[in-house]
Amino acid sequence: MPVDVLVGLQWGDEGKGKIVDVLAPTYDVVARFQGGPNAGHTLTFDGIKHVLHQVPSGIFHPHIINVVGNGVVLDPVVFRVELQKLTDRGVDWAKNLYISKKAQLILPSHRALDRILEEARGGGKIGSTLKGIGPTYQDKIGRTGLRVGDILLADFQDRYNEAVARHATLASFHGQQLDIEQAEADFFSAVDFLRTLQLADTEYLLNDLLRQGKQILAEGAQGSLLDIDFGTYPFVTSSSTVVAGACTGLGIAPRHIDKVYGISKAYCTRVGSGPFPTELHDEVGEQIRAAGREFGATTGRPRRCGWIDLPALRYSIMLNGVTEIHLMKADVLDEFDEIRICTHYQNPEGEETNQLPDLGDLQTMKPVYTSLPGWKVNLQQINSADALPKELKDYVQFLEAQLEVPISIVSVGPDRVSTLHMAETVA
Protein backbone atom coordinates (compact mmCIF):
# COMPACT_ATOMS: atom_id res chain seq x y z
CA MET A 1 0.00 0.00 0.00
CA PRO A 2 1.15 3.58 -0.62
CA VAL A 3 2.06 6.39 1.73
CA ASP A 4 -0.02 9.56 1.58
CA VAL A 5 1.60 12.78 2.79
CA LEU A 6 0.03 15.81 4.43
CA VAL A 7 1.92 19.12 4.24
CA GLY A 8 1.24 22.77 4.94
CA LEU A 9 1.36 25.06 1.91
CA GLN A 10 1.89 28.36 3.72
CA TRP A 11 3.98 29.48 6.72
CA GLY A 12 2.52 26.84 9.02
CA ASP A 13 -0.57 26.96 11.26
CA GLU A 14 -2.78 25.91 8.34
CA GLY A 15 -4.85 23.40 10.32
CA LYS A 16 -2.93 20.20 9.56
CA GLY A 17 -3.77 18.62 12.92
CA LYS A 18 -7.50 18.86 12.29
CA ILE A 19 -7.19 17.31 8.83
CA VAL A 20 -5.04 14.44 10.12
CA ASP A 21 -7.70 13.80 12.75
CA VAL A 22 -10.44 13.82 10.10
CA LEU A 23 -8.55 11.56 7.68
CA ALA A 24 -7.06 9.25 10.31
CA PRO A 25 -9.91 6.69 10.49
CA THR A 26 -9.07 5.60 6.93
CA TYR A 27 -5.41 4.93 7.79
CA ASP A 28 -3.60 2.27 9.78
CA VAL A 29 -0.59 4.43 10.64
CA VAL A 30 0.08 8.14 11.23
CA ALA A 31 3.78 9.03 11.18
CA ARG A 32 5.30 12.42 12.03
CA PHE A 33 8.39 13.05 9.88
CA GLN A 34 10.03 16.35 11.00
CA GLY A 35 9.95 19.29 13.38
CA GLY A 36 9.61 19.24 17.13
CA PRO A 37 7.81 21.06 19.94
CA ASN A 38 7.87 24.25 17.87
CA ALA A 39 4.82 22.79 16.12
CA GLY A 40 1.33 23.06 17.55
CA HIS A 41 -1.33 20.87 15.95
CA THR A 42 -4.78 21.82 17.25
CA LEU A 43 -7.66 19.33 17.14
CA THR A 44 -11.18 20.05 18.35
CA PHE A 45 -13.88 17.45 18.86
CA ASP A 46 -16.73 16.89 21.33
CA GLY A 47 -16.31 20.55 22.22
CA ILE A 48 -12.79 20.03 23.60
CA LYS A 49 -9.63 21.59 22.20
CA HIS A 50 -6.48 19.45 22.09
CA VAL A 51 -3.03 20.77 21.17
CA LEU A 52 -0.28 18.31 20.18
CA HIS A 53 3.35 19.31 19.75
CA GLN A 54 5.32 16.11 19.12
CA VAL A 55 2.77 13.31 19.33
CA PRO A 56 1.27 12.34 15.93
CA SER A 57 -2.30 13.53 15.43
CA GLY A 58 -3.67 10.01 15.01
CA ILE A 59 -3.23 9.32 18.72
CA PHE A 60 -6.93 9.79 19.52
CA HIS A 61 -7.85 6.79 17.37
CA PRO A 62 -7.08 3.54 19.23
CA HIS A 63 -6.73 1.42 16.07
CA ILE A 64 -3.98 3.62 14.61
CA ILE A 65 -0.23 3.06 15.04
CA ASN A 66 1.47 6.41 15.71
CA VAL A 67 5.14 6.86 14.85
CA VAL A 68 7.54 9.65 15.79
CA GLY A 69 10.01 9.41 12.93
CA ASN A 70 13.77 9.86 12.78
CA GLY A 71 13.39 13.32 11.25
CA VAL A 72 11.80 14.67 14.42
CA VAL A 73 13.72 16.46 17.18
CA LEU A 74 12.30 15.30 20.50
CA ASP A 75 12.17 17.15 23.80
CA PRO A 76 11.61 14.46 26.46
CA VAL A 77 10.19 16.97 28.96
CA VAL A 78 7.56 18.30 26.57
CA PHE A 79 6.83 14.78 25.34
CA ARG A 80 6.12 13.51 28.86
CA VAL A 81 3.80 16.45 29.56
CA GLU A 82 1.92 15.77 26.31
CA LEU A 83 1.44 12.12 27.13
CA GLN A 84 0.31 12.91 30.66
CA LYS A 85 -2.35 15.28 29.30
CA LEU A 86 -3.52 12.51 26.97
CA THR A 87 -3.70 10.10 29.90
CA ASP A 88 -5.70 12.64 31.91
CA ARG A 89 -8.20 12.77 29.04
CA GLY A 90 -8.57 9.01 28.94
CA VAL A 91 -6.42 8.34 25.87
CA ASP A 92 -4.62 4.98 26.04
CA TRP A 93 -1.52 5.69 23.96
CA ALA A 94 0.90 3.12 25.40
CA LYS A 95 0.38 0.30 22.91
CA ASN A 96 0.22 2.23 19.65
CA LEU A 97 2.97 4.85 20.01
CA TYR A 98 6.49 4.23 18.68
CA ILE A 99 9.51 6.55 18.77
CA SER A 100 12.44 6.30 16.40
CA LYS A 101 15.77 5.57 18.06
CA LYS A 102 17.29 7.84 15.42
CA ALA A 103 15.26 10.93 16.39
CA GLN A 104 17.47 13.68 17.79
CA LEU A 105 17.18 14.71 21.45
CA ILE A 106 16.61 18.32 22.43
CA LEU A 107 18.78 18.99 25.48
CA PRO A 108 18.27 21.76 28.05
CA SER A 109 21.43 23.37 26.68
CA HIS A 110 19.86 23.48 23.20
CA ARG A 111 17.00 25.56 24.55
CA ALA A 112 19.43 27.86 26.36
CA LEU A 113 21.52 28.27 23.22
CA ASP A 114 18.41 29.03 21.18
CA ARG A 115 17.67 32.00 23.44
CA ILE A 116 21.30 33.19 23.50
CA LEU A 117 21.70 33.01 19.72
CA GLU A 118 18.38 34.73 19.04
CA GLU A 119 19.25 37.56 21.41
CA ALA A 120 22.63 37.92 19.71
CA ARG A 121 20.88 38.66 16.40
CA GLY A 122 19.55 41.92 17.82
CA GLY A 123 17.20 43.56 15.34
CA GLY A 124 17.70 40.72 12.85
CA LYS A 125 15.86 38.10 14.90
CA ILE A 126 14.58 35.07 13.00
CA GLY A 127 11.51 34.76 15.22
CA SER A 128 12.53 31.49 16.86
CA THR A 129 10.06 29.75 19.16
CA LEU A 130 13.04 29.27 21.54
CA LYS A 131 12.28 25.55 21.85
CA GLY A 132 15.84 24.50 20.97
CA ILE A 133 14.97 23.37 17.46
CA GLY A 134 17.71 25.17 15.50
CA PRO A 135 20.61 24.24 17.80
CA THR A 136 19.45 20.61 17.84
CA TYR A 137 19.36 20.37 14.06
CA GLN A 138 22.73 22.14 13.95
CA ASP A 139 24.19 19.38 16.12
CA LYS A 140 22.54 16.77 13.94
CA ILE A 141 24.15 18.15 10.78
CA GLY A 142 27.42 18.71 12.66
CA ARG A 143 27.33 15.01 13.70
CA THR A 144 27.60 15.86 17.38
CA GLY A 145 23.96 15.39 18.39
CA LEU A 146 22.47 12.83 20.76
CA ARG A 147 19.73 10.53 19.55
CA VAL A 148 16.89 8.81 21.37
CA GLY A 149 18.68 5.47 21.08
CA ASP A 150 21.65 6.91 22.97
CA ILE A 151 19.65 6.98 26.22
CA LEU A 152 19.87 3.17 26.21
CA LEU A 153 23.69 3.21 26.20
CA ALA A 154 25.79 2.79 29.32
CA ASP A 155 27.82 5.93 28.55
CA PHE A 156 24.84 8.23 27.89
CA GLN A 157 25.76 10.52 30.79
CA ASP A 158 29.27 10.97 29.40
CA ARG A 159 27.90 11.79 25.96
CA TYR A 160 25.50 14.26 27.51
CA ASN A 161 28.26 15.97 29.50
CA GLU A 162 30.40 16.31 26.37
CA ALA A 163 27.52 17.91 24.48
CA VAL A 164 26.78 20.39 27.27
CA ALA A 165 30.48 21.30 27.49
CA ARG A 166 30.45 22.16 23.78
CA HIS A 167 27.32 24.25 24.22
CA ALA A 168 28.80 26.06 27.24
CA THR A 169 31.82 27.03 25.15
CA LEU A 170 29.57 28.42 22.44
CA ALA A 171 27.55 30.38 25.01
CA SER A 172 30.77 31.85 26.40
CA PHE A 173 31.55 33.33 22.96
CA HIS A 174 28.48 35.51 23.52
CA GLY A 175 29.47 36.34 27.09
CA GLN A 176 26.74 34.18 28.61
CA GLN A 177 26.28 31.01 30.64
CA LEU A 178 23.82 28.21 30.02
CA ASP A 179 22.17 28.22 33.49
CA ILE A 180 20.43 24.87 32.99
CA GLU A 181 20.86 23.16 36.36
CA GLN A 182 17.17 23.25 37.25
CA ALA A 183 16.12 22.22 33.75
CA GLU A 184 18.50 19.25 33.85
CA ALA A 185 16.62 17.64 36.74
CA ASP A 186 13.41 17.63 34.69
CA PHE A 187 15.30 16.43 31.64
CA PHE A 188 16.83 13.35 33.25
CA SER A 189 13.54 12.48 34.91
CA ALA A 190 11.86 12.68 31.49
CA VAL A 191 14.65 10.57 29.95
CA ASP A 192 13.92 7.86 32.52
CA PHE A 193 10.27 8.02 31.43
CA LEU A 194 11.28 7.90 27.75
CA ARG A 195 13.20 4.65 28.37
CA THR A 196 9.89 2.97 29.31
CA LEU A 197 8.30 3.68 25.92
CA GLN A 198 8.44 1.74 22.66
CA LEU A 199 11.72 2.90 21.15
CA ALA A 200 12.23 1.26 17.78
CA ASP A 201 14.06 1.24 14.46
CA THR A 202 10.95 2.79 12.94
CA GLU A 203 12.25 2.69 9.37
CA TYR A 204 11.99 -1.11 9.59
CA LEU A 205 8.64 -0.89 11.35
CA LEU A 206 7.14 1.34 8.66
CA ASN A 207 8.47 -0.66 5.73
CA ASP A 208 7.24 -3.89 7.31
CA LEU A 209 3.80 -2.30 7.68
CA LEU A 210 3.88 -1.28 4.01
CA ARG A 211 4.65 -4.87 3.02
CA GLN A 212 1.68 -5.97 5.11
CA GLY A 213 -0.57 -3.71 3.04
CA LYS A 214 -1.08 -1.08 5.73
CA GLN A 215 -2.03 2.45 4.73
CA ILE A 216 0.27 5.17 6.12
CA LEU A 217 -0.34 8.89 6.47
CA ALA A 218 2.84 10.95 6.85
CA GLU A 219 2.22 14.09 8.91
CA GLY A 220 4.36 17.17 8.45
CA ALA A 221 4.77 20.14 10.76
CA GLN A 222 5.18 23.86 9.98
CA GLY A 223 4.65 24.79 6.31
CA SER A 224 6.36 24.60 2.93
CA LEU A 225 7.33 28.29 2.99
CA LEU A 226 9.34 27.54 6.15
CA ASP A 227 11.34 24.74 4.50
CA ILE A 228 15.08 25.00 5.20
CA ASP A 229 15.89 24.83 1.46
CA PHE A 230 12.86 26.31 -0.29
CA GLY A 231 11.29 28.60 2.29
CA THR A 232 11.81 32.34 2.76
CA TYR A 233 15.37 31.81 3.98
CA PRO A 234 16.75 32.70 6.49
CA PHE A 235 13.31 33.18 8.09
CA VAL A 236 12.61 29.46 8.04
CA THR A 237 12.61 26.43 10.31
CA SER A 238 15.53 23.98 10.47
CA SER A 239 14.04 20.94 8.74
CA SER A 240 12.61 19.82 5.41
CA THR A 241 8.89 20.59 5.61
CA VAL A 242 8.06 19.47 2.05
CA VAL A 243 7.14 16.01 0.79
CA ALA A 244 10.77 15.03 0.26
CA GLY A 245 11.22 15.35 4.02
CA ALA A 246 8.78 12.49 4.53
CA CYS A 247 11.16 10.10 2.79
CA THR A 248 14.25 11.11 4.76
CA GLY A 249 12.30 11.71 7.97
CA LEU A 250 10.71 8.26 8.02
CA GLY A 251 13.03 6.05 5.97
CA ILE A 252 10.58 5.30 3.16
CA ALA A 253 11.40 5.28 -0.56
CA PRO A 254 9.90 7.93 -2.90
CA ARG A 255 8.16 5.24 -4.96
CA HIS A 256 5.78 4.65 -2.04
CA ILE A 257 4.36 8.20 -2.13
CA ASP A 258 0.85 8.45 -3.58
CA LYS A 259 -1.52 11.26 -2.58
CA VAL A 260 -0.21 14.60 -1.34
CA TYR A 261 -2.68 16.64 0.68
CA GLY A 262 -1.81 20.34 0.66
CA ILE A 263 -3.33 22.33 3.51
CA SER A 264 -4.05 26.05 3.11
CA LYS A 265 -6.13 28.58 4.94
CA ALA A 266 -8.72 30.56 2.99
CA TYR A 267 -6.49 33.53 3.84
CA CYS A 268 -2.88 33.62 5.03
CA THR A 269 -0.98 33.97 8.31
CA ARG A 270 2.59 34.01 9.51
CA VAL A 271 4.24 33.88 12.95
CA GLY A 272 7.65 35.43 13.53
CA SER A 273 9.84 37.48 11.24
CA GLY A 274 10.22 37.38 7.48
CA PRO A 275 8.54 38.63 4.30
CA PHE A 276 4.76 38.43 3.98
CA PRO A 277 3.57 40.18 0.78
CA THR A 278 -0.19 40.14 1.55
CA GLU A 279 0.10 41.09 5.23
CA LEU A 280 -2.58 43.53 6.39
CA HIS A 281 -1.57 46.22 8.88
CA ASP A 282 -5.08 47.64 9.19
CA GLU A 283 -8.40 46.88 10.82
CA VAL A 284 -9.10 44.19 8.21
CA GLY A 285 -6.04 42.29 9.39
CA GLU A 286 -7.19 42.74 12.99
CA GLN A 287 -10.65 41.48 12.06
CA ILE A 288 -9.19 38.32 10.51
CA ARG A 289 -6.98 37.77 13.58
CA ALA A 290 -9.91 38.15 15.96
CA ALA A 291 -12.31 35.98 13.95
CA GLY A 292 -9.70 33.27 13.40
CA ARG A 293 -8.30 33.40 16.94
CA GLU A 294 -4.94 33.72 15.28
CA PHE A 295 -2.54 33.20 18.14
CA GLY A 296 0.26 30.61 18.04
CA ALA A 297 -0.68 27.21 19.51
CA THR A 298 2.90 26.80 20.77
CA THR A 299 3.97 30.34 21.69
CA GLY A 300 0.71 32.25 22.03
CA ARG A 301 2.14 34.99 19.81
CA PRO A 302 -0.37 36.91 17.65
CA ARG A 303 -0.14 35.78 14.06
CA ARG A 304 0.35 38.22 11.22
CA CYS A 305 -2.70 38.06 8.94
CA GLY A 306 -3.38 38.80 5.28
CA TRP A 307 -5.22 37.74 2.16
CA ILE A 308 -4.52 34.47 0.38
CA ASP A 309 -1.35 34.48 -1.75
CA LEU A 310 -1.58 32.44 -4.98
CA PRO A 311 2.03 32.87 -6.21
CA ALA A 312 3.23 31.42 -2.91
CA LEU A 313 0.66 28.61 -3.10
CA ARG A 314 1.63 27.74 -6.69
CA TYR A 315 5.24 27.47 -5.54
CA SER A 316 4.37 25.13 -2.67
CA ILE A 317 2.10 23.04 -4.89
CA MET A 318 4.94 22.64 -7.41
CA LEU A 319 7.48 21.61 -4.77
CA ASN A 320 5.19 19.04 -3.20
CA GLY A 321 3.36 17.63 -6.20
CA VAL A 322 0.07 18.34 -4.43
CA THR A 323 -2.80 16.18 -5.64
CA GLU A 324 -5.59 17.87 -3.67
CA ILE A 325 -6.02 20.96 -1.50
CA HIS A 326 -7.86 21.23 1.80
CA LEU A 327 -9.05 24.79 2.37
CA MET A 328 -9.22 25.66 6.06
CA LYS A 329 -11.02 28.29 8.16
CA ALA A 330 -13.31 29.59 5.42
CA ASP A 331 -15.69 30.64 8.21
CA VAL A 332 -13.21 33.28 9.36
CA LEU A 333 -14.11 35.31 6.25
CA ASP A 334 -17.88 35.15 6.85
CA GLU A 335 -18.33 38.86 7.60
CA PHE A 336 -16.45 40.38 4.67
CA ASP A 337 -18.26 42.13 1.83
CA GLU A 338 -15.43 41.24 -0.55
CA ILE A 339 -12.65 38.68 -0.48
CA ARG A 340 -9.34 39.72 -1.97
CA ILE A 341 -6.99 37.27 -3.70
CA CYS A 342 -3.36 37.98 -4.59
CA THR A 343 -2.90 36.54 -8.08
CA HIS A 344 0.47 38.11 -8.96
CA TYR A 345 3.28 40.24 -7.60
CA GLN A 346 4.45 43.52 -9.08
CA ASN A 347 8.09 44.62 -8.84
CA PRO A 348 9.24 48.27 -8.47
CA GLU A 349 9.54 48.54 -12.27
CA GLY A 350 5.87 47.64 -12.71
CA GLU A 351 6.51 44.14 -14.08
CA GLU A 352 4.22 41.35 -12.90
CA THR A 353 5.08 37.75 -12.03
CA ASN A 354 3.16 34.77 -10.72
CA GLN A 355 6.31 33.17 -9.30
CA LEU A 356 7.67 33.43 -5.76
CA PRO A 357 11.04 35.20 -5.98
CA ASP A 358 13.95 34.84 -3.57
CA LEU A 359 14.04 36.85 -0.37
CA GLY A 360 15.72 40.00 -1.69
CA ASP A 361 13.27 40.43 -4.56
CA LEU A 362 10.27 39.26 -2.54
CA GLN A 363 10.72 42.07 -0.04
CA THR A 364 10.23 44.63 -2.84
CA MET A 365 7.15 43.00 -4.36
CA LYS A 366 3.64 44.41 -4.10
CA PRO A 367 0.64 42.09 -4.32
CA VAL A 368 -1.72 42.37 -7.28
CA TYR A 369 -5.27 41.62 -6.16
CA THR A 370 -8.53 40.54 -7.67
CA SER A 371 -11.74 40.63 -5.62
CA LEU A 372 -14.73 38.35 -5.31
CA PRO A 373 -17.95 39.02 -3.38
CA GLY A 374 -18.10 37.68 0.17
CA TRP A 375 -20.73 35.15 1.25
CA LYS A 376 -21.97 36.93 4.39
CA VAL A 377 -23.26 33.63 5.81
CA ASN A 378 -22.48 31.88 9.09
CA LEU A 379 -20.68 28.84 7.66
CA GLN A 380 -20.47 27.09 11.02
CA GLN A 381 -24.18 26.37 10.73
CA ILE A 382 -23.69 24.50 7.45
CA ASN A 383 -23.13 20.73 7.50
CA SER A 384 -23.30 19.89 3.80
CA ALA A 385 -21.19 21.01 0.86
CA ASP A 386 -24.36 21.36 -1.22
CA ALA A 387 -25.62 23.97 1.22
CA LEU A 388 -22.60 26.25 0.88
CA PRO A 389 -23.38 29.73 -0.45
CA LYS A 390 -22.78 30.38 -4.14
CA GLU A 391 -20.16 33.02 -3.35
CA LEU A 392 -17.99 30.51 -1.48
CA LYS A 393 -18.40 27.96 -4.25
CA ASP A 394 -17.30 30.66 -6.71
CA TYR A 395 -14.28 31.39 -4.50
CA VAL A 396 -13.34 27.70 -4.46
CA GLN A 397 -13.76 27.43 -8.23
CA PHE A 398 -11.59 30.50 -8.77
CA LEU A 399 -8.81 29.05 -6.63
CA GLU A 400 -9.02 25.69 -8.37
CA ALA A 401 -8.76 27.34 -11.79
CA GLN A 402 -5.80 29.46 -10.73
CA LEU A 403 -3.92 26.69 -8.89
CA GLU A 404 -4.90 23.81 -11.23
CA VAL A 405 -5.46 21.48 -8.29
CA PRO A 406 -8.86 20.37 -6.94
CA ILE A 407 -10.03 21.54 -3.53
CA SER A 408 -11.52 18.42 -1.98
CA ILE A 409 -12.23 19.67 1.55
CA VAL A 410 -13.46 22.99 2.91
CA SER A 411 -13.35 23.50 6.67
CA VAL A 412 -16.08 25.77 8.08
CA GLY A 413 -15.36 25.54 11.81
CA PRO A 414 -12.89 24.18 14.38
CA ASP A 415 -14.70 20.95 15.22
CA ARG A 416 -13.94 17.79 13.28
CA VAL A 417 -17.57 17.64 12.11
CA SER A 418 -17.21 21.06 10.43
CA THR A 419 -15.30 19.52 7.54
CA LEU A 420 -17.09 19.41 4.21
CA HIS A 421 -16.09 17.12 1.36
CA MET A 422 -16.45 18.91 -1.97
CA ALA A 423 -16.30 16.05 -4.47
CA GLU A 424 -20.01 16.01 -5.12
CA THR A 425 -20.40 19.76 -5.52
CA VAL A 426 -18.67 22.84 -6.99
CA ALA A 427 -19.51 21.79 -10.52
Side-chain angles (χ1 to χ4, degrees):
M1 294 293 286
V3 178
D4 296 337
V5 184
L6 183 142
V7 293
L9 297 181
Q10 297 166 307
W11 282 285
D13 308 310
E14 300 95 349
K16 296 180 291 297
K18 175 185 176 177
I19 292 298
V20 173
D21 180 60
V22 169
L23 297 176
T26 63
Y27 289 90
D28 304 296
V29 183
V30 173
R32 170 81 178 272
F33 63 84
Q34 48 75 225
N38 56 338
H41 289 184
T42 302
L43 302 81
T44 303
F45 50 89
D46 300 329
I48 300 175
K49 177 180 176 180
H50 308 267
V51 179
L52 300 175
H53 298 283
Q54 301 172 111
V55 177
S57 299
I59 199 66
F60 295 101
H61 300 270
H63 76 281
I64 293 175
I65 295 172
N66 290 267
V67 176
V68 178
N70 57 276
V72 172
V73 289
L74 188 75
D75 186 324
V77 176
V78 176
F79 200 57
R80 179 174 60 175
V81 170
E82 275 191 81
L83 294 179
Q84 184 57 57
K85 287 182 178 179
L86 290 171
T87 299
D88 294 343
R89 290 177 173 176
V91 178
D92 183 7
W93 47 263
K95 293 182 180 179
N96 64 338
L97 177 63
Y98 294 84
I99 301 97
S100 172
K101 292 180 181 178
K102 294 180 175 63
Q104 294 280 320
L105 285 173
I106 299 176
L107 311 182
S109 49
H110 285 133
R111 294 175 68 105
L113 272 182
D114 205 354
R115 174 186 55 79
I116 291 168
L117 295 173
E118 185 75 343
E119 290 175 356
R121 292 188 176 101
K125 287 182 170 60
I126 296 295
S128 170
T129 58
L130 305 181
K131 303 297 182 183
I133 307 300
T136 305
Y137 276 115
Q138 284 177 319
D139 277 2
K140 175 179 181 177
I141 298 303
R143 296 165 292 182
T144 58
L146 298 181
R147 306 201 288 188
V148 167
D150 292 335
I151 69 175
L152 305 176
L153 302 177
D155 65 345
F156 174 69
Q157 184 69 56
D158 293 335
R159 294 173 183 237
Y160 173 87
N161 291 341
E162 290 174 4
V164 171
R166 287 194 302 271
H167 297 160
T169 299
L170 183 55
S172 70
F173 292 154
H174 296 278
Q176 297 202 44
Q177 295 181 341
L178 294 176
D179 295 328
I180 58 173
E181 290 76 12
Q182 185 174 351
E184 283 184 317
D186 289 339
F187 174 79
F188 282 108
S189 174
V191 165
D192 286 338
F193 169 76
L194 190 58
R195 290 188 179 107
T196 69
L197 306 184
Q198 297 186 95
L199 311 182
D201 296 316
T202 54
E203 62 273 27
Y204 280 108
L205 171 65
L206 291 168
N207 280 282
D208 284 345
L209 290 167
L210 281 173
R211 280 190 287 272
Q212 294 170 30
K214 303 297 184 183
Q215 187 80 17
I216 296 173
L217 178 62
E219 176 186 19
Q222 288 86 42
S224 298
L225 299 180
L226 293 175
D227 183 84
I228 186 64
D229 287 295
F230 298 106
T232 48
Y233 191 91
F235 303 99
V236 295
T237 192
S238 302
S239 58
S240 180
T241 61
V242 296
V243 165
C247 297
T248 57
L250 296 176
I252 55 175
R255 67 184 179 88
H256 292 302
I257 303 297
D258 185 20
K259 295 178 183 177
V260 178
Y261 305 116
I263 315 303
S264 169
K265 285 176 179 170
Y267 50 99
C268 196
T269 64
R270 178 165 196 166
V271 173
S273 304
F276 184 177
T278 65
E279 182 175 11
L280 296 168
H281 299 281
D282 55 15
E283 61 185 33
V284 174
E286 289 296 332
Q287 185 177 350
I288 292 175
R289 182 180 297 112
R293 299 180 179 87
E294 292 294 355
F295 299 89
T298 297
T299 64
R301 291 181 296 182
R303 295 181 182 131
R304 301 155 62 191
C305 298
W307 297 115
I308 198 165
D309 183 332
L310 299 193
L313 281 177
R314 291 188 192 99
Y315 180 71
S316 295
I317 288 167
M318 174 187 72
L319 293 175
N320 290 291
V322 172
T323 59
E324 59 188 82
I325 296 170
H326 298 170
L327 192 68
M328 310 301 291
K329 303 186 82 164
D331 55 298
V332 172
L333 303 182
D334 284 354
E335 297 302 316
F336 289 94
D337 294 320
E338 68 170 10
I339 311 298
R340 304 193 77 190
I341 304 163
C342 171
T343 57
H344 295 76
Y345 301 138
Q346 186 181 76
N347 67 17
E349 289 73 41
E351 299 169 332
E352 292 188 2
T353 179
N354 63 3
Q355 295 187 357
L356 184 74
D358 204 6
L359 179 68
D361 291 330
L362 182 59
Q363 290 175 318
T364 67
M365 293 291 179
K366 292 183 178 180
V368 177
Y369 289 110
T370 190
S371 295
L372 293 178
W375 37 92
K376 305 288 286 186
V377 172
N378 184 351
L379 294 181
Q380 293 195 29
Q381 296 181 354
I382 294 176
N383 55 20
S384 165
D386 289 329
L388 289 173
K390 178 181 182 300
E391 292 81 1
L392 177 54
K393 292 180 181 180
D394 290 343
Y395 182 62
V396 169
Q397 285 183 315
F398 182 86
L399 296 182
E400 288 181 321
Q402 289 283 316
L403 300 173
E404 301 181 317
V405 178
I407 294 174
S408 59
I409 283 177
V410 174
S411 175
V412 296
D415 199 280
R416 63 163 60 140
V417 299
S418 301
T419 312
L420 308 183
H421 295 265
M422 304 297 290
E424 75 281 7
T425 188
V426 192

